[in-house]
């Protein structure tokens, strides 16, 4: 087989890139290790920046998002039982969209099927070859046979545990990492959200987040130990741990109900530099991870894809290498700022073991955030997404 761009991974990064390239007549094949149903069963992001909204529109799959997505003008932060509000719209003129990653992925999958572009699901043993040559190759196993794709470029969009970054020579990549000493236990339920806006909660028992997917579906998270087993958390135990962290009004108003999904996610900051290795270009979680506190992971995947699709278009349409040559530096400049914001928000709102000094710093920082328009504007500007 031959294609122009072989895309590894059918998460948001891979599918969005595939759709944008296809629209401009650039042939691509997506290889995904799991089934489509499995990819859609992973409950992850919920908050989408304008940049990602624009790109989803450009890919031609934004109609349902605009019908069903919820536009949020601000967010709430609850500190030890007292709620505060940051008004994004007033401070920056911008808003965010609440629309699940699952729905975006489904819209992209439907768009790809309608366009007749090829996706190979349950592709096993995907391997990258000759990434520094002019004609790299990708091999994989399906239906008991080994297949080979010759291509011009490989886009590594296969997430943090994917094969693409692992295929790079160890001395060609520099990795920067912080692992946090806790995770998030998340619960999805068909109950009305407790508030019209998200509530980020800082409490001495640990962080919590009240989020949503629709006016009838809620997503809640609580900070938990990394040693926790999700099976040790029947729904009642989750609600009993969440409620004391909320303010009195939210505690009174919250509607609890049976979970439809529950999972634990570890928190990590990670960047691998650069993002280009010969003809292999990494995008999204394959190249960098942020803790979910700043709601930046999917949005960074989208901004990488914007830079990368522009660079590939320049290559094919204008015969210019400039976009590809600058891809890594342009994408990383935005990545590091989102890393900073996600790390800062994580440090601000979680309970860390044994440090009274850090606790005092958190409270001083929060007091400043709620008391200073400049600090609130800096928060809002980062949360809605920094400009390109
Ligand atoms: P992925 O979604 O990981 O997709 C990679 C794909 O590649 C997967 O389908 C995988 O199966 C496939 N793959 C892996 N290895 C191989 C292989 N060897 N061969 C073939 N295929 C392979 N981000 C936000 O912006 N806002 C939020 O509100 C937010 N909330 C989050 C909440 C939680 C609890 C979590 C865990 C994450 C959250 N994120 C959020 C982050 C966001 O979900 C990720 O950043 C996003 O999924 C990255 O997309 P991706 O396409 O790069 O990678
Ligand atoms: C979510 O709804 O899943 C969500 C929202 C905001 C975050 C993280 C996750 O910061």
């Amino acid at each position: 087989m031959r294609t122009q761009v072989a895309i590894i991974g059918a998460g948001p990064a891979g599918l969005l890139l595939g759709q944008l390239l296809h629209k401009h007549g650039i042939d691509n094949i997506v290889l995904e290790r799991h089934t489509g149903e499995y990819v859609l069963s992973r409950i992850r992001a919920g908050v989408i920046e304008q940049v990602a909204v624009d790109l989803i529109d450009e890919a031609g799959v934004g109609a349902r998002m605009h019908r069903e997505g919820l536009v949020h003008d601000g967010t709430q932060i609850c500190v030890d039982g007292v709620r505060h509000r940051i008004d994004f719209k007033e401070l920056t003129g911008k808003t965010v969209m609440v629309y699940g990653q699952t729905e975006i992925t489904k819209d992209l999958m439907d768009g790809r099927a309608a366009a007749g572009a090829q996706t190979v699901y349950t592709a096993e043993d995907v391997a990258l070859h000759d990434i520094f040559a002019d004609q790299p190759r990708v091999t994989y196993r399906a239906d008991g046979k080994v297949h080979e794709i010759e291509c011009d470029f490989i886009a590594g969009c296969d997430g943090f545990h994917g094969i693409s970054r692992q295929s790079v020579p160890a001395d060609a990549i520099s990795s920067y990492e912080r692992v946090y000493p806790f995770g998030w236990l998340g619960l999805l339920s068909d109950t009305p959200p407790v508030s019209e806006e998200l509530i980020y909660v800082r409490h001495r028992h640990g962080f919590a987040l009240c989020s949503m997917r629709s006016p009838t579906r809620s997503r809640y998270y609580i900070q938990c130990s990394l040693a926790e087993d999700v099976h040790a958390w029947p729904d009642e135990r989750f609600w009993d741990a969440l409620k004391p962290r909320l303010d009195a009004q939210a505690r009174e108003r919250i509607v609890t109900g049976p979970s439809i999904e529950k999972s634990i996610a570890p928190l990590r900051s990670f960047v691998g530099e650069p993002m280009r290795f010969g003809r292999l270009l990494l995008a999204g979680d394959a190249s960098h991870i942020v803790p979910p506190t700043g709601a930046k992971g999917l949005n960074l995947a989208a901004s990488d894809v914007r830079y990368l699709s522009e660079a590939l278009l320049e290559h094919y349409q204008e015969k210019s290498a400039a976009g590809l040559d600058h891809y890594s530096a342009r994408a990383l400049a935005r990545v590091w700022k989102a890393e900073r914001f996600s790390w800062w928000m994580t440090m601000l709102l979680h309970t860390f073991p044994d440090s009274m000094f850090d606790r005092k710093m958190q409270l001083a920082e929060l007091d400043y955030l709620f008391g200073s328009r400049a600090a609130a504007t800096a928060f809002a500007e980062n949360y809605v997404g920094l400009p390109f």
Side-chain angles (χ1 to χ4, degrees):
M1 275 186 280
R2 154 127 208 112
T3 190
Q4 288 173 300
V5 183
I7 300 174
I8 321 292
L15 290 172
L16 196 53
L17 179 66
Q19 202 64 12
L20 291 166
L21 294 180
H22 186 84
K23 206 183 122 189
H24 292 279
I26 300 173
D27 189 50
N28 61 87
I29 299 177
V30 174
L31 295 178
E32 165 61 46
R33 174 164 61 177
H34 292 292
T35 62
E37 295 76 60
Y38 178 87
V39 172
L40 288 175
S41 73
R42 291 178 306 204
I43 308 296
R44 292 163 100 187
V47 177
I48 314 301
E49 293 173 4
Q50 191 60 45
V51 166
V53 169
D54 291 346
L55 209 59
I56 290 164
D57 280 337
E58 201 184 318
V61 298
R64 191 164 70 100
M65 172 180 69
H66 288 290
R67 272 199 317 275
E68 297 179 11
L70 307 170
V71 174
H72 281 201
D73 292 351
T75 197
Q76 315 212 350
I77 302 179
C78 179
V79 180
D80 297 326
V82 181
R83 233 194 281 178
H84 305 260
R85 179 165 189 269
I86 308 249
D87 191 324
F88 307 144
K89 195 159 186 190
E90 196 219 337
L91 294 166
T92 68
K94 294 186 186 153
T95 59
V96 293
M97 173 81 88
V98 172
Y99 188 63
Q101 176 167 335
T102 311
E103 309 308 321
I104 295 174
T105 309
K106 186 170 184 314
D107 296 344
L108 285 163
M109 283 178 174
D110 291 349
R112 192 164 174 86
Q118 191 181 354
T119 311
V120 180
Y121 286 100
T122 59
E124 292 172 62
D125 301 334
V126 171
L128 284 58
H129 310 272
D130 305 332
I131 57 171
F132 291 100
D134 284 348
Q135 289 283 298
R137 291 172 300 120
V138 180
T139 54
Y140 65 96
R141 219 156 41 77
D143 310 320
K145 280 186 284 210
V146 175
H147 303 260
E148 181 174 287
I149 305 175
E150 256 183 27
C151 53
D152 301 332
F153 297 99
I154 302 172
C157 302
D158 48 353
F160 184 65
H161 299 287
I163 190 67
S164 300
R165 194 180 70 256
Q166 291 172 34
S167 306
V168 169
D171 60 359
I173 188 163
S174 303
S175 300
Y176 306 89
E177 181 169 52
R178 165 147 311 173
V179 177
Y180 302 88
F182 41 71
W184 281 15
L185 170 61
L187 179 147
L188 189 70
S189 63
D190 275 328
T191 54
V194 65
S195 150
E196 287 201 346
E197 292 178 338
L198 270 63
I199 312 176
Y200 286 88
V201 183
R202 184 211 172 276
H203 189 272
R204 63 198 157 77
H205 291 179
F207 170 85
L209 171 61
C210 307
S211 183
M212 67 195 71
R213 290 293 175 272
S214 74
T216 57
R217 183 168 283 188
S218 302
R219 179 70 165 162
Y220 294 101
Y221 297 97
I222 52 172
Q223 178 179 348
C224 68
S225 143
L226 281 172
E228 286 299 346
D229 172 2
V230 71
H231 298 109
W233 284 86
D235 296 350
E236 276 317 307
R237 185 176 174 206
F238 182 94
W239 298 119
D240 288 347
L242 173 68
K243 280 186 201 162
R245 302 183 194 191
L246 308 179
D247 57 277
Q249 192 197 35
R251 209 163 29 240
E252 203 172 290
R253 198 176 274 182
I254 193 166
V255 181
T256 61
S259 64
I260 47 179
E261 193 266 0
K262 239 181 323 200
S263 51
I264 294 179
L267 267 68
R268 184 196 299 272
S269 299
F270 173 89
V271 181
E273 286 185 343
M275 294 173 68
R276 177 186 180 183
F277 307 87
R279 294 211 162 220
L280 168 64
L281 301 127
L282 301 181
D285 282 14
S287 171
H288 41 73
I289 292 283
V290 286
T293 328
K296 287 282 163 267
L298 171 60
N299 292 305
L300 277 184
S303 64
D304 289 354
V305 163
R306 182 167 151 180
Y307 291 127
L308 181 53
S309 58
E310 285 171 3
L312 288 165
L313 283 185
E314 263 179 60
H315 170 86
Y316 285 110
Q317 294 179 346
E318 295 163 31
K319 308 275 178 259
S320 160
L324 287 168
D325 289 345
H326 295 130
Y327 167 63
S328 183
R330 285 173 78 196
L332 282 167
R334 198 161 191 278
V335 164
W336 275 113
K337 291 189 202 89
E339 289 283 345
R340 186 206 68 81
F341 180 66
S342 304
W343 159 83
W344 174 80
M345 232 181 127
T346 302
M347 300 302 286
L348 185 67
L349 297 172
H350 289 75
T351 302
F352 286 79
D354 307 330
S355 177
M356 276 314 282
F357 181 82
D358 290 350
R359 188 178 130 73
K360 289 287 187 188
M361 286 298 105
Q362 284 180 334
L363 294 175
E365 186 105 39
L366 284 160
D367 203 27
Y368 177 53
L369 177 63
F370 303 134
S372 154
R373 189 177 169 92
T377 305
F379 177 97
E381 190 173 64
N382 279 275
Y383 195 91
V384 299
L386 293 174
F388 269 80

